[in-house]
Amino acid sequence: MTGRPSVRGVLTLLASDGFAVTLAWVVYYYLRVQSGLFTIETIPDYLLPMAMIGTYWFLVFWFFGLYRAWWAKSRIDELIVVTKAVTLGVLILFFLIFLDDALAQASTFSRLKILVYWAMVLAFVGTGRMLVRSLRRRMLMAGIGHRSTIIIGPREKALDLIAILGSYPALGYRVEGFLETDDADTDRTQDNRVPCLGGLETLDEVIGRYGVEEILITLASTEHERLLDIIGRCSAFKVGIKIRPDLYDIVSGQARTNQLYGIPLIEVTPQLMAPWEEAVKRGMDVAVSLVVVVLGLPLFCLVAVAQKLSSSGPILYRQQRVGKDGKVFSILKFRTMYVDAEKRSGPQWAQKDDPRVTPLGRFLRKSHIDELPQVINVLQGDMSLVGPRPERPFFVDQFVKEIPLYRRRLNVRPGITGWAQVRHTYDQSIEDVRTKLSYDLFYIENMSIRMDLKIILSTAYTMIAGKGHT
């Protein structure tokens, strides 16, 4: 189960890993250079390679997600991930650094050096992490470092889960109380074991008052509407959400769960992408955007001239949109409408054969060329190449009231294109929004570099084939 890592926890892991990889380098250098076990022609540098190798290992461990908060993962699980990271890292080092030496001395000693270095890094890093984890566990057992937690569900189920969590302090949950989901006329008297903090109507207030970090939900699987409402409302806060499934869901295989000390919990808001994938996605955003800016400059100039000749008004159109975590930014597009088209009507849905669109604007929309200036938004970090379409604040406020799960779209950067854009038309009604939301949520829960490439290729085909909407 992952969570939000504390600064102190990350610094502790960095210190442990830094000491481990440095110690591994010192021992390896001694064995290779000064022990006499290996023949060397020239004595290699010591300090500079050590600093470079240390930085390299930090990046490898970060890519493998080893600096996330693994609150209740077992030590065996962590050792497995460390082994994978060290093995891949040593293989890359072999091809980058040791390959020339291995080719020059195609002997058992060359392979032995790599094996020795792999074993030392794995042993030192693994030992350091086990010590840190053992210390962390002892602190949790002593009540240090627990996360503020509330339970949501019927009284009996909530109290039952609270009692179980109280028996396992190493899980790291500090239960502030519970929100009761029984009918309003149910007696909400206080319990001596843990306070009842009210009903669902107090959810926002309770999260703010207690600084809640984790929310555990214990509802019947049949309460779909209530469950979606709770998840939607919690999406506005940076909290972990986990559900304790019904026994029927577990037995029937309808719920994939994490077993923590025998407590089955479904993580509703897991980390969307592995750290290395996030880095690759952002790198791909920047690289592709720079290529579009450079190669598309002649096209941009041509569109600018056509804009000035065909209609009055600015070349670029700026409009406020809502991005990741609710941040409002100005999106850039080539203008496709007549100037002040929405002054009289106010914000409207996009329409087929929209009379507000200029003749040139129809071509730009159909070919999706009007979207190209948004690569500037990508370079600024407000958008990504692929993601949910950013919407205007006016409509976001409306959608959130009618569709609570709409907030989950704000957990990721919006995109120039996306799964919903290639699978659906412009929004023309609230039902279209619901349909596109299902596509957006599917994308968010299945984000990957492979899926992004698939969406980009589909968008490129749509542009080339001229199948865009006008």
Side-chain angles (χ1 to χ4, degrees), residues 424-435:
H424 197 62
T425 59
Y426 284 128
D427 298 335
Q428 299 185 40
S429 68
I430 193 67
E431 289 306 315
D432 284 336
V433 175
R434 293 181 188 275
T435 302

Side-chain angles (χ1 to χ4, degrees), residues 304-323:
V305 172
Q307 286 273 38
K308 288 300 183 182
L309 293 177
S310 62
S311 64
S312 61
I315 297 169
L316 293 177
Y317 176 67
R318 297 174 181 268
Q319 189 179 69
Q320 284 196 330
R321 298 291 177 98
V322 180

Side-chain angles (χ1 to χ4, degrees), residues 316-324 326-333 342 346-348 374 377 380 382-383 389-397 399 406 409-410 414:
L316 293 177
Y317 176 67
R318 297 174 181 268
Q319 189 179 69
Q320 284 196 330
R321 298 291 177 98
V322 180
K324 184 179 179 181
K327 177 186 175 183
V328 177
F329 67 97
S330 293
I331 198 172
L332 295 174
K333 299 176 67 174
E342 288 192 339
Q348 290 185 356
Q374 291 169 46
N377 295 118
Q380 292 173 338
D382 292 322
M383 294 181 64
R389 188 74 184 137
E391 192 51 82
R392 285 175 278 183
F394 173 85
F395 288 123
V396 170
D397 293 340
F399 297 155
Y406 193 85
R409 297 174 81 255
L410 307 181

